[in-house]
């Protein structure tokens, strides 16, 4: 504690002297704040552009998310770097485009860490600026170097890439190991009941979703038919660790309690908390007090549950007197999906609700709903409520927050758009490369260009338009946000111009 305070004071001193050296011209753009606020990133899992009231949803009450969005900057064109989790989170934490790292794909729970421990990261950068850093929630960036023994200290992981404290789920709620990991150790593990995990073979005597449907409280639709934990069939096999296994319905409360205690205990130094919530990813397991809160079944109910967690978290900041000194970034890792592998009525009960709002596609897709996500920056008393159409992306948080805290970053794809993130300018990115299931597209101003890709036009199991086509696609999002009118043939010059830019940026 003592050390953090001292580092905090030192950092503030550096920031002050930095400010002193600025000339009057530079002062007009955003520089480091002399008193560094706390920073919280709330990252949802698979929450779509249209899934909350502030972005147009009618059937899912989300007053607490709406409070942040409507009293902060609501970005209309805010992006995750990818339409799936691992690559998206990789970009957010490293500032590097995920397509530069061939390992940045949806990872199994046994995958090694895909962030190089020598690499620049957001939490490392903020640590240099004097922040105490923590992650609570979903990790999904790999752990260890290959063969993880879950019964020993697990390293490298979040603690080795910049987080002072980590309380995580390793991969996804539907993947083994279904245990929490606290600073590299499986929480609640008992020595006489070791955990074994495999994505190749089952362990003798262990039931599976495939062979033991009678043991299931949730049925699998595709995938998800291996080890059964809490009556839910998972991806991957696991044996042992009974006492350490999470209770899915308690996960939201468990993460919330951790996030709350983090801000309560660290209130005297600037802190950075990455609160990576698990909703509304599958399996959707609302706590009983949220069951039936919407007419949409578990998918709607877990969004309401997440909303309540955000409300409780913000209330804690308020009670601790920290709301005015905390910058909150609210976003999602990728777009929405209804049926992602379990029968949970998401499709049957969706009614008129459009999880992707007016956008085409969804999770996994290279159409807009894949990566354009809810994105808001809230800072009570400092940022005026507004709507911004600046193009912003999570990959730019590293450079922008570095600018904010007086740090330098080099050698990444991250660019400084601090003024856009603070609502002082409407100028965001001109060009952005976006990724979905190992394919990339170019956004350039109002336009998107999608190169031809092989593969299914619609991924049948999830019923999502993937964006694949035999020819180039070109859309003007200002006129056609739903990407209905392919202008590739009508506007050959524009297409050529974008192909050229794409080749330059993408390197091929
Ligand atoms: C897919 C899973 C899906 C989900 C996704 C990862 C199957 C059939 N589907 O492979 O259920 O877990 O991976 O989601 O296994 S993400 O949000 O972490 O990217
Ligand atoms: Ca996700």
């Amino acid at each position: 504690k003592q050390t953090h305070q001292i580092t905090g004071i030192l950092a503030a001193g550096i920031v002050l002297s930095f400010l002193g050296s600025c000339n009057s011209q530079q002062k007009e753009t955003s520089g480091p704040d002399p008193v560094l606020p706390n920073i919280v990133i709330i990252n949802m899992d698979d929450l779509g552009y249209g899934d909350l009231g502030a972005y147009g949803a009618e059937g899912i009450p989300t007053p607490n998310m709406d409070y942040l969005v409507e009293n902060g900057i609501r970005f209309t064109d805010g992006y995750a770097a990818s339409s799936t989790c691992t690559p998206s989170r990789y970009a957010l934490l490293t500032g590097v485009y995920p397509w530069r790292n061939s390992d940045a794909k949806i990872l199994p729970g046994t995958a090694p860490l895909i962030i190089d421990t020598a690499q620049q990261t957001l939490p490392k950068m903020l640590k240099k600026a004097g922040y105490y850093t923590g992650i609570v929630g979903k990790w999904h960036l790999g752990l260890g170097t290959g063969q993880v023994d879950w019964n020993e200290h697990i390293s490298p992981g979040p603690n080795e890439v910049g987080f002072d404290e980590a309380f995580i789920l390793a991969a996804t709620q539907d993947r083994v190991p279904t245990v929490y990991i606290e600073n590299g150790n499986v929480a609640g593990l008992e020595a006489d009941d070791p955990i074994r995990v495999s994505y190749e073979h089952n362990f003798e005597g262990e039931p599976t979703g495939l062979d033991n449907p009678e043991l299931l409280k949730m049925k699998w639709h595709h995938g998800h038919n291996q080890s059964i934990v809490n009556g839910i069939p998972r991806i991957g096999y696991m044996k042992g660790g009974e006492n350490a296994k999470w209770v899915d319905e308690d996960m939201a409360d468990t993460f919330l309690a951790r996030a709350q205690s983090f801000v309560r205990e660290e209130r005297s130094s600037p802190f950075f908390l990455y609160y990576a919530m698990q909703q509304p990813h599958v399996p959707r397991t609302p706590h009983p007090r949220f069951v039936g809160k919407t007419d949409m079944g578990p998918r709607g109910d877990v969004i309401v549950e997440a909303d309540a967690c955000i409300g409780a978290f913000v209330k804690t900041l308020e009670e601790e007197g920290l709301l005015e000194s905390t910058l909150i970034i609210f976003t999602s890792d990728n777009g929405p999906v209804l049926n992602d592998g379990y029968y949970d009525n998401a499709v049957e009960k969706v009614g008129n609700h459009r999880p992707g709002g007016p956008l085409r596609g969804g999770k996994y897709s290279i159409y807009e709903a894949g990566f354009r996500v809810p994105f808001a920056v809230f800072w009570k008393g400092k940022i005026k409520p507004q709507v911004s159409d600046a193009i912003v992306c999570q990959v730019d948080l590293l450079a922008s927050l570095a600018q904010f805290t007086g740090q330098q970053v080099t050698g990444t794809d991250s660019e400084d758009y601090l003024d856009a993130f603070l609502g002082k300018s409407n100028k965001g990115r001109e060009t952005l490369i976006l990724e979905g299931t190992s394919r990339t597209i170019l956004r350039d101003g109002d336009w998107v260009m999608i190169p031809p890709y092989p593969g299914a036009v619609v991924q049948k199991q999830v019923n999502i338009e993937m964006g694949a086509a035999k020819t180039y696609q070109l859309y003007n999002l200002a006129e056609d946000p739903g990407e209905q009118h392919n202008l590739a043939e009508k506007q050959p010059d524009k297409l050529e111009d974008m192909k050229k830019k794409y080749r330059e940026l993408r390197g091929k």
Side-chain angles (χ1 to χ4, degrees):
K1 187 86 257 175
Q2 194 74 23
T3 7
H4 302 142
Q5 276 169 4
I6 292 166
T7 346
I9 291 161
L10 279 175
I14 292 164
V15 166
L16 281 171
S17 54
F18 179 90
L19 274 181
S21 69
C22 285
N23 64 32
S24 56
Q25 243 178 345
Q26 281 169 316
K27 269 185 188 156
E28 293 188 354
T29 60
S30 302
D33 200 298
V35 183
L36 295 172
N38 306 305
I39 299 172
V40 174
I41 298 179
I42 300 175
N43 200 12
M44 304 295 304
D45 193 358
D46 297 1
L47 188 76
Y49 190 78
D51 269 330
L52 58 159
Y55 279 82
E58 286 172 4
I60 307 177
T62 53
N64 298 296
M65 295 180 191
D66 299 348
Y67 170 78
L68 297 179
V69 178
E70 286 164 359
N71 293 287
I73 310 167
R74 176 170 72 84
F75 288 100
T76 61
D77 291 49
Y79 287 92
S82 167
S83 63
T84 63
C85 172
T86 300
S88 164
R89 286 159 201 259
Y90 178 79
L92 185 150
L93 289 180
T94 66
V96 174
Y97 274 138
W99 43 268
R100 294 196 196 280
N101 182 343
S102 57
D103 294 329
K105 300 190 171 81
I106 298 173
L107 296 176
T110 47
L113 178 66
I114 63 163
I115 299 174
D116 191 322
T117 52
Q119 213 171 324
Q120 175 81 264
T121 67
L122 184 58
K124 275 191 198 169
M125 181 279 289
L126 290 173
K127 258 168 85 100
K128 275 201 198 133
Y131 281 74
Y132 186 76
T133 60
I135 169 174
V136 171
K138 180 175 180 173
W139 177 240
H140 210 189
L141 291 162
L143 292 168
T145 52
Q147 299 296 322
V148 167
D149 181 344
W150 303 92
N151 307 290
E152 302 289 331
H153 183 71
I154 303 157
S155 173
N159 300 99
E160 285 68 37
V161 299
F163 288 106
D164 291 313
E165 275 183 31
F167 184 85
I168 59 164
L169 73 85
T172 59
Q173 201 189 326
D174 52 356
R175 281 174 174 77
V176 300
T178 54
V179 295
Y180 300 115
I181 299 166
E182 183 167 14
N183 297 322
N185 301 311
V186 171
L189 186 65
E190 289 172 338
D192 60 356
D193 185 21
I195 292 186
R196 280 178 289 159
V197 177
S198 168
Y199 277 69
E200 273 89 53
H201 62 84
N202 193 15
F203 300 96
E204 217 189 303
E206 289 297 299
T208 64
L210 190 63
D211 295 332
N212 304 85
E214 74 284 358
L215 298 177
L216 302 180
K217 70 176 177 194
M218 194 187 285
K219 285 193 187 146
W220 57 277
H221 175 272
H222 57 277
H224 307 98
N225 58 17
Q226 299 174 331
S227 280
I228 302 169
V229 182
N230 306 330
I232 302 170
R234 315 278 167 160
I235 307 172
Y237 302 101
M238 171 177 174
K239 185 180 172 72
E242 281 312 317
N243 190 56
K245 285 178 180 172
W246 66 50
V247 175
D248 296 84
E249 290 79 359
D250 293 341
M251 185 176 281
D253 289 335
T254 304
F255 285 148
L256 170 63
R258 289 285 171 157
Q260 288 172 316
S261 63
F262 181 86
V263 307
R264 283 191 187 117
E265 282 159 24
E266 296 311 323
R267 62 177 175 273
S268 57
S269 49
F271 61 74
F272 166 56
L273 175 64
Y274 175 43
Y275 184 11
M277 300 180 73
Q278 87 283 8
Q279 302 104 330
H281 195 282
V282 296
R284 297 162 183 139
T285 51
H287 187 274
R289 68 187 191 279
F290 294 100
V291 172
K293 288 286 173 196
T294 66
D295 296 330
M296 284 180 218
R299 187 173 187 280
D301 296 349
V302 296
I303 294 174
V304 172
E305 177 189 68
D307 184 75
C309 291
I310 291 171
F313 178 75
V314 171
K315 188 156 174 263
T316 301
L317 289 175
E318 214 162 14
E319 285 165 0
E320 297 292 318
L322 296 170
L323 198 55
E324 276 90 355
S325 57
T326 304
L327 177 82
I328 303 176
I329 297 165
F330 169 75
T331 190
S332 176
D333 71 337
N334 54 251
V337 53
L338 293 177
N339 181 340
D340 207 13
Y342 294 99
Y343 286 98
D344 64 3
N345 277 325
V347 174
E348 293 77 0
K349 293 193 165 179
V350 74
N352 296 327
H353 175 68
R354 297 183 65 188
L359 309 177
R360 187 172 180 181
K363 181 175 179 178
Y364 310 108
S365 176
I366 44 177
Y367 286 131
E368 285 292 294
F371 21 60
R372 207 199 293 185
V373 288
F375 205 136
V377 180
F378 171 92
W379 189 4
K380 195 175 179 192
K382 291 284 187 354
I383 291 179
K384 288 194 199 78
Q386 59 193 283
V387 178
S388 171
D389 62 2
I391 299 173
V392 293
C393 179
Q394 292 163 11
V395 77
D396 294 324
L397 289 172
L398 174 70
S400 304
L401 293 175
Q403 172 68 15
F404 191 45
T405 55
Q407 300 299 303
Q408 304 287 322
V409 290
T410 49
T412 70
D413 297 300
S414 195
E415 295 177 7
D416 167 24
Y417 294 102
L418 181 61
D419 286 345
F421 285 121
L422 294 180
K424 294 180 182 172
S425 155
N426 232 27
K427 208 195 149 304
R429 274 196 176 245
E430 270 305 311
T431 56
L432 183 63
I433 299 280
L434 294 156
E435 188 265 359
T437 34
S438 302
R439 300 153 306 157
T440 46
I441 72 150
L442 171 65
R443 169 132 194 205
D444 177 16
D446 286 340
W447 296 79
V448 285
M449 187 278 286
I450 306 178
Y453 286 108
V457 170
V458 174
Q459 219 274 49
K460 289 239 166 58
Q461 290 174 316
V462 293
N463 192 27
I464 287 172
E465 286 186 292
M466 298 297 281
K470 290 198 177 70
T471 57
Y472 278 91
Q473 297 176 72
L474 179 70
Y475 299 102
N476 182 327
L477 296 174
E479 287 158 12
D480 178 24
E483 297 172 292
Q484 295 299 310
H485 308 289
N486 182 2
L487 301 176
E489 278 180 25
K490 278 190 196 144
Q491 303 234 25
D493 294 346
K494 184 73 195 169
L495 180 63
E496 279 316 307
D497 171 50
M498 288 190 72
K499 280 160 84 169
K500 190 164 162 277
K501 280 188 185 152
Y502 175 81
R503 277 195 299 271
E504 281 163 15
L505 292 165
R506 186 67 179 84
K508 68 174 191 188

